[in-house]
Amino acid sequence: MTSAIKFEHVKKSFADKVVVNDLNLDIQQGELFVLVGNSGSGKTTSIKMINRLEDPNGGRVLVNQRPTTEYNVQKLRWQIGYVLQQIALFPNMTVAKNITLIPEIQGDKGNLAETAAKLLQEVGLNPEEYAKRYPHELSGGEQQRIGILRAIASKPPIVLMDEPFSALDPLSRANLQSLVVDLHKQLHNTIIFVTHDMNEALRLADRIAIMKDGQLLQVDQPQEILRHPANKYVKDFFKGSLGNDLYETPLRQAALFNEFKQKETATLASMTKVKADEKLAKVLAILSEQEEVAVQNENGAFLGFVDRQWLVAYLNGINKLN
């Protein structure tokens, strides 16, 4: 795969405080990559060095194999969408104008009203109802949808998202997480998403990087981090995610991941069902005849599903350890 963003021995200090210390990280084109860590871990400073809101004191950051310091700052930022927790829509502009601001600045000669209408439809907002509204007429979740659309309207190959949903209610947050996944599948862009929320990281990421005190502790796929945490800090950091019973069974763990593939409850109900504590041998027998099974908790509620591919990968991982 081709590298979209690369950190090579990057260091960043403010006065005498080291915020990022010898960061080496390679993010591939088309990844939905999540940086996770507590406050002060260095994750926000790290992504600010991608679009040169900050520059490193040492090492270098590369975008598309080219050091960021070789880019014209404005042209670099035009390649990179940016979504913040503080949505910062322009209050005197309509929704449509907010969405198409960057393409207009860049001299896009296309039909910008049509662009705004199409994007609004993609996020479930009726253009006839929303295009002419102003930001103060929107809910927090709606404003953040517009913020996301503004960031992707010019089709930048890279989008940075810095804790964009942390101020929202749980329902709005879950809906927007699904929206990010759906848009990523459509656009095939590279997304770097910063959060301190373990559940959010697990829902979204192709790969996760965990930072602490400016240092990178582990980078891997979500399931691998949960199964093989690099150290006690990583294990404890994710231990409370997706329910305290996450570590009880690998079946429960996998089902909770796959919940976010957005299968309808009716679809799950029509599938063969197994309990989360079912023996893997029985699940293997079922999956030898069909592609996937629905997983339920002890109360019969659907957790999600697992498929043949997951079980084979899991068993291969077990064999490698033995």
Side-chain angles (χ1 to χ4, degrees):
M1 295 181 67
T2 305
S3 174
I5 298 159
K6 192 170 186 178
F7 293 80
E8 294 182 341
H9 300 288
V10 170
K11 297 181 181 180
K12 180 64 180 178
S13 301
F14 295 102
D16 294 330
K17 182 176 176 58
V18 177
V19 179
V20 177
N21 187 16
D22 196 27
L23 177 60
N24 292 281
L25 184 61
D26 197 348
I27 299 169
Q28 303 300 309
Q29 286 185 4
E31 273 197 295
L32 205 172
F33 191 94
V34 177
L35 270 174
V36 65
N38 289 324
S39 296
S41 62
K43 55 191 188 300
T44 291
T45 300
S46 296
I47 68 162
K48 284 183 176 181
M49 288 189 281
I50 297 172
N51 63 358
R52 295 197 66 188
L53 290 175
E54 299 287 352
D55 281 328
N57 303 123
R60 61 180 189 167
V61 181
L62 295 89
V63 172
N64 296 324
Q65 293 100 50
R66 182 181 173 190
T68 54
T69 51
E70 294 183 3
Y71 284 91
N72 172 281
V73 172
Q74 184 182 56
K75 290 182 178 179
L76 174 68
R77 290 175 184 169
W78 278 356
Q79 297 181 46
I80 301 173
Y82 199 22
V83 185
L84 300 167
Q85 178 184 336
Q86 299 81 19
I87 304 159
L89 298 178
F90 290 96
N92 60 329
M93 290 184 180
T94 64
V95 163
K97 283 287 187 181
N98 266 284
I99 291 171
T100 58
L101 178 63
I102 303 303
E104 184 175 2
I105 292 173
Q106 293 177 342
D108 190 330
K109 303 301 182 183
N111 188 328
L112 296 180
E114 187 177 301
T115 297
K118 182 179 178 182
L119 289 170
L120 284 167
Q121 285 177 331
E122 288 184 2
V123 300
L125 298 176
N126 185 342
E128 294 183 3
E129 183 180 351
Y130 283 91
K132 294 183 179 180
R133 287 189 182 184
Y134 287 86
H136 72 272
E137 299 176 286
L138 306 176
S139 69
E142 289 169 343
Q143 288 184 35
Q144 198 58 290
R145 284 173 187 258
I146 304 308
I148 292 170
L149 294 185
R150 184 174 64 186
I152 68 170
S154 62
K155 299 181 180 177
I158 296 169
V159 178
L160 309 178
M161 295 188 168
D162 189 6
E163 307 237 21
F165 310 144
S166 58
L168 300 177
D169 64 89
L171 181 58
S172 295
R173 188 168 187 158
N175 288 337
L176 286 169
Q177 288 164 356
S178 297
L179 172 63
V180 168
V181 172
D182 290 342
L183 289 174
H184 181 247
K185 288 178 181 176
Q186 291 176 36
L187 300 173
H188 306 292
N189 50 5
T190 303
I191 296 177
I192 300 91
F193 192 105
V194 167
T195 183
H196 62 269
D197 185 303
M198 298 83 70
N199 289 332
E200 189 162 66
L202 294 169
R203 288 183 180 217
L204 295 176
D206 293 324
R207 286 193 301 152
I208 296 174
I210 301 101
M211 296 187 71
K212 181 190 179 199
D213 298 332
Q215 294 189 316
L216 186 65
L217 300 184
Q218 186 172 3
V219 183
D220 214 327
Q221 296 174 343
Q223 290 189 16
E224 289 304 307
I225 288 175
L226 287 175
R227 287 167 55 192
H228 307 297
N231 54 36
K232 186 176 184 299
Y233 178 87
V234 175
K235 181 176 181 179
D236 290 345
F237 192 84
F238 284 95
K239 192 170 184 179
S241 61
L242 298 178
N244 291 326
D245 53 4
L246 179 64
Y247 290 93
E248 285 185 4
T249 72
L251 198 60
R252 182 188 295 271
Q253 176 182 313
L256 285 165
F257 278 118
N258 288 331
E259 170 195 0
F260 307 116
K261 292 184 180 178
Q262 301 300 308
K263 281 195 182 294
E264 299 290 339
T265 302
T267 302
L268 290 170
S270 67
M271 294 163 58
T272 299
K273 303 166 192 63
V274 297
K275 289 293 176 64
D277 58 357
E278 186 60 77
K279 294 184 182 301
L280 290 184
K282 181 175 178 179
V283 180
L284 180 61
I286 297 171
L287 290 176
S288 67
E289 299 180 357
Q290 57 194 65
E291 288 294 326
E292 53 196 17
V293 296
V295 180
Q296 297 173 305
N297 66 14
E298 58 277 6
N299 298 318
F302 288 115
L303 298 173
F305 70 99
V306 295
D307 55 24
R308 190 181 300 167
Q309 182 179 2
W310 170 80
L311 186 58
V312 170
Y314 179 79
L315 293 175
N316 282 340
I318 293 289
N319 290 334
K320 287 177 183 178
L321 293 175
N322 292 336

